[in-house]
Amino acid sequence: LSFLLGKIFIKEAKTISNRRSLASVFPLLTVTTTIVIAVVKSSLALSLGLVGALSIVRFRTPIKEPEELTYLFLAIAIGLACGANQYSIAIFGFLLSFIGIIFQNKYSKKNSYKNSLRLLVKGISNKDLNTLVKIISKYSKRVDLNNIIIAEDKSNISITCSILVNSFIEIDGLNNEISEVFPKATFSIIDSDNFY
């Protein structure tokens, strides 16, 4: 079930992170959860020990999108159900979630993220930030700001944003215009393996 969940995540998720690497973790997460629940369900002492152990463990995986967290919880829920020998609940919950995901994606009015990518621009000054956003907006349907790093003297800014491009052909025009307006700036596309 978690392997199928990973395939659904790769195909249907709107997140712009590296979907393949996160999806590859789902089966391991589900099996681990199943093992833990199978071990502790027979002993009250083990279950209390698990609560104590989990209270000191912190989840350090960077979650970029809420959608990623939802899929992770679904993988954990499948593992919990299987560990408690509730296979019918695991299958029913998975199928219900799958139908919900398909229904939401089919009838959602949100933009498709199939032409989305994340870009990084380094080497612009503080006063040029608005100009840069206007240039990016010119070539994009949507611009989401992810990160801005400003040097102490405000002379050097790095900006990371997620964009939904009009078409991939326009990336060249975006690169050329940024290079013309900001000759000292560098332009990089990151997470570019998300073209599905």
Side-chain angles (χ1 to χ4, degrees):
L1 288 176
S2 59
F3 177 76
L4 292 174
L5 180 65
K7 294 295 184 187
I8 293 167
F9 179 69
I10 290 170
K11 183 171 175 34
E12 299 292 335
K14 293 185 176 92
T15 182
I16 57 173
S17 67
N18 189 349
R19 290 177 274 195
R20 290 188 192 279
S21 66
L22 185 61
S24 67
V25 174
F26 292 164
L28 182 60
L29 179 64
T30 302
V31 169
T32 303
T33 306
T34 302
I35 291 169
V36 169
I37 296 304
V39 169
V40 301
K41 75 176 180 178
S42 60
S43 168
L44 180 62
L46 282 175
S47 62
L48 291 174
L50 177 67
V51 170
L54 291 178
S55 68
I56 62 171
V57 175
R58 289 194 293 168
F59 191 64
R60 295 186 178 268
T61 303
I63 301 296
K64 298 174 187 172
E65 303 282 341
E67 185 180 30
E68 294 176 9
L69 193 57
T70 305
Y71 278 92
L72 286 171
F73 275 126
L74 186 54
I76 291 169
I78 292 169
L80 288 170
C82 291
N85 294 329
Q86 301 291 326
Y87 302 113
S88 59
I89 291 174
I91 293 169
F92 178 74
F94 173 79
L95 291 175
L96 190 64
S97 300
F98 175 69
I99 291 168
I101 291 165
I102 298 300
F103 182 78
Q104 179 184 9
N105 287 349
K106 186 173 182 180
Y107 296 104
S108 175
K109 294 180 180 178
K110 293 182 179 178
N111 290 328
S112 170
Y113 283 79
K114 291 194 185 247
N115 291 342
S116 66
L117 38 112
R118 188 166 295 168
L119 59 94
L120 170 67
V121 180
K122 292 182 179 180
I124 62 169
S125 66
N126 192 25
K127 61 182 170 118
D128 296 328
L129 193 55
N130 286 334
T131 307
L132 177 65
V133 172
K134 285 178 185 175
I135 292 171
I136 295 171
S137 298
K138 178 179 169 183
Y139 292 93
S140 309
K141 294 177 188 173
R142 179 176 172 172
V143 179
D144 292 329
L145 183 64
N146 297 116
N147 192 8
I148 296 178
I149 300 172
I150 303 172
E152 284 184 31
D153 59 358
K154 296 185 180 180
S155 63
N156 192 0
I157 293 180
S158 297
I159 181 171
T160 307
C161 57
S162 303
I163 63 170
L164 184 63
V165 295
N166 296 322
S167 72
F168 286 120
I169 298 167
E170 295 189 359
I171 294 172
D172 192 41
L174 175 62
N175 186 22
N176 291 338
E177 190 161 344
I178 289 175
S179 299
E180 283 176 23
V181 177
F182 309 109
K184 294 183 180 178
T186 58
F187 173 89
S188 305
I189 297 174
I190 53 178
D191 285 346
S192 56
D193 55 343
N194 295 313
F195 304 156
Y196 295 100

